[in-house]
Amino acid sequence: MKGLIGVLGGMGPAATADLFNKFIAFTKANCDQEHIPLIISSIPNIPDRTQALMHDGNSPLPLMQNYLHLLERAGAECIVIPCNTAHYWFSQLKESCHVELLSIIDSTMQEVVNSKKKNIGLLATNATVYMGLYQQKIEELGLNCLTPNKEEQQKVMKSIYLLKSGEIEKAENLMKEIADQLFKQGAEVIVLGCTEVPVILNKEIDKYKDKYIDSTSALVHAGINWYQKRQRN
Amino acid sequence: MKGLIGVLGGMGPAATADLFNKFIAFTKANCDQEHIPLIISSIPNIPDRTQALMHDGNSPLPLMQNYLHLLERAGAECIVIPCNTAHYWFSQLKESCHVELLSIIDSTMQEVVNSKKKNIGLLATNATVYMGLYQQKIEELGLNCLTPNKEEQQKVMKSIYLLKSGEIEKAENLMKEIADQLFKQGAEVIVLGCTEVPVILNKEIDKYKDKYIDSTSALVHAGINWYQKRQRN
């Protein structure tokens, strides 16, 4: 299947479903057959990424590589990973990958540049923040990156784990509090740098589209662009 | 991966995403790792099922078999197909399938039996209605099956194609009109016998859960049951 996109998902399942929903919503199609072909691995036994990086948990890399190769064998010509924290291992994944691998960080940063804002808030996992996956790139552009303080960051993490256990409303209240805090501190726009966060702040993003840069949406846009180019080759 | 469930989807993509969302919502999980492992094929170039059955269009069977085997090779131990009309070819698919294949029709009929209602409405594609995929089984149970008249059935089909082309609101208004009509004719409960219909009537089902039997939900429940049994073996 020309242009088949593989989704290395399950980190977590709700974020993977959100990416799938967005592929459908963002594609202009008049019938089933005009939608983008996807093969989605939502096999969630991959060890927790934040646990691995912050608390010496098992590495998720071997299973991520397994499922990446499973997608390749199924015919994927391009692979996307709807998990920001997983991108800590991006270069190792890219090395073992025989097809195109799109980075959610680079796709999101492109939208940061397009926004022309200077003060960029960041809502992400402890590991993504601690490893500086976004801050470094934001600061390289001469922009200012605002992150929650230590106590607030614990609430962000708690909200993310609440969603993973199905407690959507509690997760939303907690995350909204920290988003408001970042805006008060001067953020003009907030990068949702964990793919669970757009699921948690779904209603809020619908209301105030310009206030957020959703990493899942950015990755979907990059995937659709890749697919359209591939059709012309 | 023990218990990996394959989803032969893309017929259409929105219905496949709805099934994925329901697998997540219906699974009691405290973390990513407790969710059900899925491998989802949403490759939508399979010829339209209704066109094939009603207007001599290309058969969808060869590509359905291809993607079924792709899921098997990826390690699926059980396969579900979130498309009712595709179940016209169920016996042929089952014959060429080397793992468990769950039927959406049988899963839905189980919920019809459980409902203990006697007058069963049906919203489905022209082909599913014409081929009698549900009516026969409903009548075998001594129950009464109410289907839309010819003109109303054309509106059901129009609504389904509207969803497939992204026109959700128009699709909803049209489908709600026909559902109301079936209730007026005496339906106590309506089988949503096309996986696009629960996407179209999403809000309505949320409000009046007992009035509808959603074939996608029925298939997800059957899939979760299969997975739980598999874990004990």
Side-chain angles (χ1 to χ4, degrees):
Chain A
M1 180 69 211
K2 186 174 175 175
L4 182 62
I5 295 180
V7 179
L8 175 50
M11 302 179 282
T16 306
D18 186 42
L19 175 104
F20 187 14
N21 290 322
K22 283 170 179 165
F23 258 107
I24 297 163
F26 297 171
T27 302
K28 282 178 197 146
N30 294 307
C31 60
D32 291 351
Q33 291 73 17
E34 289 176 20
H35 277 277
I36 290 181
L38 300 172
I39 176 92
I40 302 169
S41 161
S42 183
I43 310 182
N45 65 339
I46 298 171
D48 188 282
R49 286 63 60 196
T50 298
Q51 282 295 323
L53 289 172
M54 305 295 282
H55 309 288
D56 283 329
N58 289 336
S59 170
L61 186 59
L63 276 185
M64 286 199 288
Q65 284 172 325
N66 266 8
Y67 301 147
L68 189 85
H69 296 143
L70 179 157
L71 294 169
E72 285 181 353
R73 284 195 305 273
E77 297 185 347
C78 170
I79 288 168
V80 296
I81 311 172
C83 174
N84 286 271
T85 314
H87 281 65
Y88 174 80
W89 294 272
F90 188 76
S91 61
Q92 284 134 293
L93 289 168
K94 204 169 173 68
E95 236 170 69
S96 72
C97 184
H98 307 85
V99 297
E100 184 98 34
L101 186 64
L102 300 180
S103 157
I104 197 170
I105 312 281
D106 292 349
S107 308
T108 305
M109 284 307 299
Q110 192 51 54
E111 304 215 350
V112 170
V113 171
N114 294 348
S115 77
K116 295 185 178 158
K117 298 291 196 302
K118 288 192 172 168
N119 294 299
I120 316 294
L122 176 64
L123 289 171
T125 61
N126 290 354
T128 296
V129 172
Y130 186 78
M131 300 299 169
L133 294 185
Y134 276 102
Q135 296 98 304
Q136 211 176 329
K137 298 197 181 227
I138 289 172
E139 284 161 11
E140 274 171 15
L141 292 170
L143 308 174
N144 184 25
C145 185
L146 294 107
T147 53
N149 67 29
K150 209 172 165 184
E151 195 187 323
E152 290 164 352
Q153 181 59 39
Q154 290 316 314
K155 289 188 185 175
V156 171
M157 207 58 221
K158 191 176 169 191
S159 167
I160 291 168
Y161 282 124
L162 277 167
L163 178 83
K164 285 178 186 291
S165 68
E167 303 249 33
I168 297 179
E169 244 172 83
K170 281 188 200 167
E172 186 185 1
N173 292 335
L174 212 53
M175 194 65 82
K176 231 179 131 301
E177 184 190 323
I178 311 303
D180 287 343
Q181 201 58 38
L182 286 175
F183 286 125
K184 269 188 204 152
Q185 287 166 28
E188 296 164 88
V189 72
I190 295 179
V191 166
L192 308 178
C194 163
T195 53
E196 313 283 355
V197 182
V199 181
I200 296 168
L201 290 181
N202 182 22
K203 290 178 205 151
E204 186 73 3
I205 303 169
D206 256 6
K207 263 195 270 181
Y208 308 106
K209 286 196 199 318
D210 292 347
K211 288 171 68 176
Y212 299 100
I213 294 173
D214 166 2
S215 56
T216 306
S217 294
L219 185 60
V220 170
H221 287 306
I224 294 175
N225 283 342
W226 176 87
Y227 177 79
Q228 288 169 340
K229 271 190 201 161
R230 177 73 182 92
Q231 295 312 299
R232 292 195 292 270
N233 292 338
Chain B
M1 181 67 212
K2 186 173 175 177
L4 181 62
I5 295 179
V7 179
L8 175 51
M11 305 180 278
T16 307
D18 187 41
L19 175 105
F20 187 14
N21 290 323
K22 282 170 180 164
F23 258 108
I24 297 163
F26 297 172
T27 302
K28 282 180 196 145
N30 293 307
C31 59
D32 291 351
Q33 291 74 16
E34 288 177 18
H35 276 278
I36 291 180
L38 300 173
I39 176 90
I40 303 168
S41 161
S42 183
I43 311 182
N45 66 341
I46 299 171
D48 189 282
R49 286 62 60 196
T50 298
Q51 282 296 320
L53 289 173
M54 304 295 282
H55 308 288
D56 282 330
N58 289 335
S59 170
L61 185 59
L63 277 184
M64 286 199 289
Q65 285 172 324
N66 266 8
Y67 302 147
L68 190 85
H69 295 144
L70 179 158
L71 294 168
E72 285 181 354
R73 284 195 305 273
E77 297 185 348
C78 170
I79 288 169
V80 296
I81 310 171
C83 174
N84 286 272
T85 315
H87 281 65
Y88 175 78
W89 294 272
F90 188 77
S91 61
Q92 283 133 296
L93 289 167
K94 203 167 174 71
E95 236 170 69
S96 73
C97 184
H98 306 85
V99 298
E100 185 100 30
L101 186 64
L102 300 179
S103 156
I104 197 170
I105 313 279
D106 291 349
S107 308
T108 305
M109 283 308 300
Q110 190 53 55
E111 303 214 349
V112 170
V113 171
N114 295 347
S115 77
K116 296 186 179 159
K117 298 289 195 300
K118 289 195 171 164
N119 294 299
I120 317 294
L122 175 63
L123 289 171
T125 61
N126 290 354
T128 296
V129 172
Y130 186 78
M131 299 298 167
L133 294 185
Y134 277 103
Q135 295 97 305
Q136 211 176 331
K137 298 198 182 225
I138 288 172
E139 284 162 10
E140 274 171 16
L141 292 170
L143 308 174
N144 184 25
C145 184
L146 294 107
T147 52
N149 68 29
K150 210 174 164 185
E151 195 188 321
E152 289 163 354
Q153 181 59 38
Q154 290 316 315
K155 290 189 184 174
V156 171
M157 207 58 222
K158 193 176 168 191
S159 167
I160 291 168
Y161 282 124
L162 277 167
L163 178 84
K164 286 179 187 289
S165 68
E167 303 250 35
I168 297 178
E169 242 172 85
K170 280 187 200 167
E172 187 185 0
N173 292 335
L174 212 53
M175 193 65 81
K176 229 179 132 293
E177 185 191 322
I178 312 303
D180 287 343
Q181 202 56 38
L182 286 175
F183 286 126
K184 267 188 204 150
Q185 287 168 25
E188 296 164 87
V189 72
I190 295 179
V191 166
L192 308 177
C194 162
T195 53
E196 313 282 355
V197 182
V199 181
I200 296 167
L201 290 181
N202 182 22
K203 291 177 205 154
E204 185 71 6
I205 303 170
D206 256 7
K207 261 195 273 180
Y208 307 106
K209 285 196 199 321
D210 292 346
K211 287 171 67 177
Y212 297 100
I213 294 173
D214 166 1
S215 56
T216 306
S217 295
L219 186 60
V220 170
H221 287 307
I224 293 175
N225 283 343
W226 176 87
Y227 177 80
Q228 288 169 341
K229 271 189 201 160
R230 178 73 182 93
Q231 296 312 299
R232 292 194 292 269
N233 290 339

